Amino acid sequence: MPLPHGRSSPDAQDLGFDPAELRARYRAERDRRIRPEGNGQYERAAGRFGYYDEDPYTEAPSDRDPLCDRVEVVVVGGGFGGLLAGARLRRAGVESIRVIEKGGDFGGTWYWNRYPGIHCDIESYIYLPLLEEVGYVPKWKYAPGEEIRQHARAVGRVFGLYRDAVFQTQVTELRWNEAESEWLVSTDRGDRIRARYVVTASGTLSEAKLPGIPGIETFAGHTFHTSRWDYGYTGGSAEGNLHGLAGKRVALIGTGATAIQCVPHLAAGAAELYVFQRTPSSVDVRANRPTDPAWAASLTPGWQRRRRDNFLALVTGDRTEQDLVDDGWTSSARLHQKLIPSDSHREGHPELSAEENERAYELADFQKMNEIRARVDAVVTDPRTAEKLKPWYRYMCKRPTFSDSYLQTFNLPHVTLVDTADQHGVERITESGVVVGGTTYEVDCIIFGTGFRVGLSGITSGRLPVYGRDGVALTDTWREGPRTLHGFYSHGFPNLFQLGPLQNASSVNYVHILDEQATHVAEVVAAARARRARYVDPSAGAQAAWVATIREKAADLYAFQAECTPGYYNNEGRPRKRSESYGDGPVAFHALLRDWRANGGLSEVLVDAEGDDRP
Ligand code: NDP
């Protein structure tokens, strides 16, 4: 049912629902969840809560001699960002690459997150990088975490990145040495590694967070965070069979994308499961299926790029007819397109006004969320529980989730949903249980599915200090806000490249974004090597122009986010006024980078041996 062009407000009868009523409901649900402390309500999994950060997968490192050598490139982080940087640099001819990684192996997110049921909710054929290069086709449309982790290791092997990598090691400082034109990279293992180039790829959701619930430290039972799953206690594996929970009463706090996947397995293993919910997730159909061997055999070279590009174009608003992935992400994008009159995009016809466009988006959103809420009613037999599980906010206010077993779990007699919205979350933890609304739920184990601190990278948060030319700290030069060219580099910090969403462009298939970034960085490094440049450093003028472009094009998400229930997408209900993302979106951004590389852009960043006289 397209939005009638030019009509100001289709009425409730046309639509089958009343937009004004839904808007009011959404606002009320937001208001009852806002907490004045914002992010201050959370604790870091560090210091007195350092236990929650310990690595359960690899034995504590034994002593090794500090490294005091020289490599061409240090890559900080061995998740997909670091692996892609390593792989693309290797392809560009760089031999000496050292990845430095906190975990005991490659994998990043997929190293740390091994909770039961873990899968990636982005289609595997577009999410797993370098499939054609590695010669692999995933076994399922949505891959389990272990398959993804093994693929990360395969990338490490195929591109020879294990050879010089160091694991269980954290970079503690980056310091530029002007005389030698190189970085001095210090680590928590006493290493002092000299590197011509440094690429940081330390992730954005990598530090587990805990809710600052009063009494959290008094709990005498067992406890851990979902990103450090304790299979020693629960038994079983990421495939389930948590036999260690037999006879146990378990509390899971949080109902985000992680909880959606592990709840069915917890319910299968535990004697009693209490799921403490503050805001329900939207849970759409999963429909996972094994890879069709005939389809896999039919793939022709370049297939992964075509599929990824098609998905990115669709989910970022392109009117592409073809939908190769055809899943929950693309169907919600297509729903919006259906509501826009098709003639409005033909030549000679007026475009929709911004207001009409926003209204079409909102209607598509209401329809999508109505479907999601109707599914809860269709699946959950107890109407009161069903009511609590219904999300009342716009689709992209929170990370959408997909499952064909999560909602069903609440039909089991030993599973209890405890809604904590009126209490702003769990009220208190005691020695023996979890308190909400005056009731204590006695449990043997509390699992925190409470997510991650939304850092920008370590170097932007200051956790990893960076000192550039003349010993200047990066965080000092960014006091008035970040300043980069294309998000990758900052003037005065030569040969330092950052991967991440800052002043760059992002999307839900984040590994695709990382691949585009890694490819760009590798091409810039290859050009610097080919021209024997002294170093790579954006001119102050080019950087200022990019910051101005970011400001000018910044998508204004404030109004949308201000109406959302609080969460990490909207800075816990305090949306940022200024977006640090390229407003024309990733498809345009990637084209801009290609054009920049092909048409003389490199002269803005390459400094030759004679020195720097650029504006
Ligand atoms: P989230 O941050 O999404 O969820 C944290 C949960 O904890 C929320 O439900 C939150 O409620 C709840 N919570 C926080 N504090 C309290 C409290 N005091 N009392 C009760 N509940 C509380 O973390 P996840 O680990 O689920 O997911 C993090 C991100 O990781 C996802 O958004 C996604 O980007 C990624 N992910 C991706 C997957 C994939 O398949 N690609 C799978 C899993 C995760 P509230 O919403 O009210 O704040």
Side-chain angles (χ1 to χ4, degrees), residues 533-593:
R534 188 162 156 213
Y535 44 64
V536 177
D537 190 19
S539 71
Q543 177 171 288
W546 183 249
V547 174
T549 301
I550 289 288
R551 298 279 170 271
E552 177 199 320
K553 289 194 175 289
D556 186 3
L557 293 176
Y558 183 83
F560 176 89
Q561 292 191 337
E563 293 294 321
C564 287
T565 47
Y568 81 86
Y569 273 24
N570 71 347
N571 193 30
E572 298 299 332
R574 299 170 176 185
R576 294 193 171 84
K577 286 245 159 67
R578 204 164 70 184
S579 162
E580 292 292 350
S581 186
Y582 181 68
D584 286 352
V587 174
F589 181 67
H590 299 154
L592 179 148
L593 290 182

Side-chain angles (χ1 to χ4, degrees), residues 516-528:
E516 298 283 351
Q517 295 184 353
T519 301
H520 183 76
V521 167
E523 293 214 15
V524 173
V525 169

